[in-house]
Amino acid sequence: MAISVQNKAIPVDYFNTEELLSVEQRAIRDAVRQWVENRLRPIIDDYAQRAESPTHLIPEMAQLGVFGPFIPEEYGGAGLDYISYGLIMQEIEAGDSGIRSMASVQSSLVMYPIWKFGSEAQRRKYLPRLAKGELMGCFGLTEPDHGSNPAGMESYFYEDGDAYVLTGRKMWISNAPFADVAVVWAKDPDGQIRGLLVERGMEGFSTPEIHRKWSLRASATGELIMDRVRVPKQNLLPGVVGLRGPLSCLNSARYGIAWGAIGAALDCYKTAAQYSLERFQFGKPIAAFQLTQKKLAEMLTEITKAQLLAFRLGQLMNEGKATPQQISMAKRNNVAMALEVARTARQILGGMGIMGDYSIMRHMMNLESVITYEGTHEIHLLITGQDITGISAFS
Ligand code: TGC
Ligand code: FAD
C-alpha cells in the first residue's frame, strides 16, 4: 500500500496554547515571526558560518519593537506584558539563539537595570536611544575566574574627585565588541557590588572580541577590560547595592530564554518532521518507521510541556508573582528540552543534519551556550534543590 505524505500539516501547538493568547499578543508574535522568515532566516546561516554578527539588522529590530518591549512607553519602550516579551524571544530564537541573545541582553540586562535601578536622568539619557537601537548595550558580570560564583568578582572601583576609578576584567560578554554602553558590576571599597554605566571611548576601556567559538557564531562575544577607567559619578546606578542587582536582571533574561528555547526546539522539530515525510528509505518515508515516530512524538510532548510551563510562568510574571526559583526551573527545563530536541532532530536528518542548509546543527551548537549562560544547568538545579530543602549546596 502506498503511503501518502502530501500536504501533511505538522502539529506545533498540540494543546492549543494559541487560544490562551490575546489578539494583541498574537499580532506581536506574527509580526516578529514574519520578520524572522523574511529578513533573518535567508541570511543567518551565512553569517553564522562566517562567525559574523548581522548588526545591520539592528535598526529593523528596533523598528519591530524587540528592544525593551516591557519598558514603559515614556522611556521609549513598548509597555508590553511579559507574555508578549516571551513570544518575541521565542520567535527570534526560532531564527537563531545568537540574535535572541543580542535582543535579550539589550532588553533584560541593559534596559532593565537602567529602568529599575537607574536615576531619572540615566533613564532619560539612555533608554529611548537603546529602544531605537541607536545605542547598543552589554552586561558585564562574569569574570575569567568567577562565572557561576559572581559574588567572588574582583573588579573594583574607588572614588577620586568627580569620578569613580574602575579596574577589572569581564569575560564572555555578549554584544561587547560593538556595544556603546556597558553595565559593569564591580565592588566598592566596602566590598559591596554596584552597577556602573561605562561608555565606549572612556580612556582605559576596551572590548576585544573572543574568536574561534563553535557556538553562537552570529553573536559577538567579547571581554571588557577596564584599566583605571574614570567613570563619572553620575554613571553609578543609584538604586541597588549587592548581588541582588545583577541577579534581578538575570531573572528577566532567564525568563526570556525559557520562551526562546521553545522557538529553537520548534524550528528543529518542524524541520525533522517535514524531512521525515519526504525522505524515503526501504521504499517508505522514514516517518513510517516506529523509531522515527517515537522520536517525533517525544519531541512534540516535551515541546508542549515547555509551552505550558512558559505560558504559566508568563502569567505569574505579569502578576508580579513569579519567583526566581520558578524562573530557574523553566530556564533549565526548556533549554535542556531544546538541546535534546535539536540532537534528536539532527539524527532524523541523518547526514543532511550536519549541513548549514538546515538550521538544526546551528541551533544545537547555539544551545550548548544557552545551557551554560545565564546560570548553568547545574546551578539552576541547585537553586531548585535549595528551594525544596532550604539547604544551599553551592559551596
Ligand atoms: P545568595 O547569597 O543566594 O544571594 C545574594 C543576594 O542576591 C539575592 N538573590 C536574588 N535576587 C534576585 N533574583 C535572583 N535570582 C536572586 N538570587 C539571589 C539574595 O536574596 C541575596 O540578597 P540580599 O539582599 O539578601 O543580599 O548568592 P550566592 O552568592 O550564594 O549565589 C547564588 C547563585 C549561585 C544562585 C548565583 O550566584 C547565581 O545565579 N549564579 C549563576 C551566575 C549567572 O547566572 N551568571 C550569568 C551571567 S550573565 C549571562 O550569562 C548573560 S548571557 C546573555 C545572553 O547572551 O543572552
Ligand atoms: P564555571 O562557573 O567555571 O563552571 C564550570 C562547570 O562547573 C559548570 O558545569 C558548572 O555548572 C559547574 N559548577 C560550578 N559551580 C558548581 C557548583 N557549586 N556545583 C556544581 N557544579 C558547579 N556573562 C556575562 O556576564 N554577560 C554576558 O553577556 C555573557 N554572555 C555569554 C555568552 C556566551 C556565548 C557564553 C558561553 C557565556 C556568557 N556569559 C556571560 C558567561 C556565562 O554566564 C558563564 O559562562 C556561566 O555563568 C558559567 O560560568 P563559567 O563559564 O565560568 O563556568
Side-chain angles (χ1 to χ4, degrees), residues 171-193:
M171 178 86 176
W172 299 118
I173 308 303
S174 303
N175 296 357
F178 58 77
D180 305 287
V181 56
V183 176
V184 175
W185 300 93
K187 287 181 177 165
D188 70 12
D190 296 327
Q192 297 277 15
I193 294 173

Side-chain angles (χ1 to χ4, degrees), residues 5 271-281 284-287 358:
V5 294
T271 305
Q274 191 63 48
Y275 186 90
S276 73
L277 291 165
E278 292 166 3
R279 173 73 175 167
F280 277 64
Q281 288 294 291
K284 290 178 181 174
I286 58 171
Y358 295 92

Side-chain angles (χ1 to χ4, degrees), residues 97-98 100-102 104-105 109 139-142 146-152 172-175 216 219 241-251 253-254 257 323-325 327-328 369-370 372-376 379-380 382-383 386 392 394-395:
S97 303
R100 194 270 307 137
S101 259
M102 189 203 281
S104 58
V105 166
L109 299 182
F139 175 89
L141 179 63
T142 306
H146 307 280
S148 296
N149 180 26
W172 299 118
I173 308 303
S174 303
N175 296 357
L216 291 187
S219 164
V241 178
L243 193 56
R244 190 173 64 80
L247 293 181
S248 304
C249 309
L250 296 184
N251 293 334
R254 291 166 176 173
I257 290 173
T323 66
Q325 293 81 4
I327 295 170
S328 278
S369 286
V370 182
T372 287
Y373 69 33
E374 300 277 4
T376 67
I379 290 296
H380 289 298
L382 294 179
I383 288 172
Q386 181 179 18
S392 164
F394 295 111
S395 52

Side-chain angles (χ1 to χ4, degrees), residues 208-332:
E209 184 158 1
I210 296 172
H211 294 287
R212 299 171 63 81
K213 290 180 296 167
W214 282 112
S215 175
L216 291 187
R217 288 170 64 81
S219 164
T221 314
E223 294 179 59
L224 301 179
I225 296 174
M226 285 86 51
D227 180 10
R228 289 164 289 163
V229 182
R230 286 186 72 81
V231 182
K233 278 190 174 164
Q234 67 265 25
N235 284 26
L236 180 81
L237 294 176
V240 76
V241 178
L243 193 56
R244 190 173 64 80
L247 293 181
S248 304
C249 309
L250 296 184
N251 293 334
S252 177
R254 291 166 176 173
Y255 166 76
I257 290 173
W259 280 88
I262 296 170
L266 272 172
D267 197 50
C268 293
Y269 156 78
K270 278 192 288 185
T271 305
Q274 191 63 48
Y275 186 90
S276 73
L277 291 165
E278 292 166 3
R279 173 73 175 167
F280 277 64
Q281 288 294 291
F282 299 96
K284 290 178 181 174
I286 58 171
F289 300 121
Q290 285 185 352
L291 289 176
T292 307
Q293 292 192 5
K294 178 174 187 291
K295 289 187 177 76
L296 294 172
E298 289 179 350
M299 288 158 99
L300 183 58
T301 306
E302 292 309 314
I303 289 170
T304 302
K305 284 154 66 179
Q307 285 171 324
L308 296 172
L309 193 57
F311 184 81
R312 176 62 186 143
L313 185 62
Q315 289 179 320
L316 292 169
M317 290 286 287
N318 283 343
E319 293 164 11
K321 291 198 273 188
T323 66
Q325 293 81 4
Q326 288 169 332
I327 295 170
S328 278
M329 183 184 280
K331 189 269 183 183
R332 179 175 187 274

Side-chain angles (χ1 to χ4, degrees), residues 1-59:
M1 190 182 76
I3 298 171
S4 169
V5 294
Q6 297 284 305
N7 301 322
K8 173 76 184 84
I10 309 289
V12 289
D13 184 20
Y14 213 58
F15 271 55
N16 300 331
T17 56
E18 175 88 8
E19 289 176 10
L20 301 172
L21 304 180
S22 68
V23 173
E24 189 192 21
Q25 287 164 344
R26 288 182 214 185
I28 291 160
R29 179 203 57 192
D30 292 346
V32 180
R33 183 174 291 176
Q34 199 175 21
W35 178 82
V36 167
E37 291 310 315
N38 294 341
R39 301 289 300 157
L40 183 58
R41 196 176 292 282
I43 61 162
I44 190 61
D45 175 63
D46 190 41
Y47 275 83
Q49 297 274 5
R50 287 188 281 119
E52 195 183 316
S53 186
T55 49
H56 68 281
L57 295 176
I58 288 171

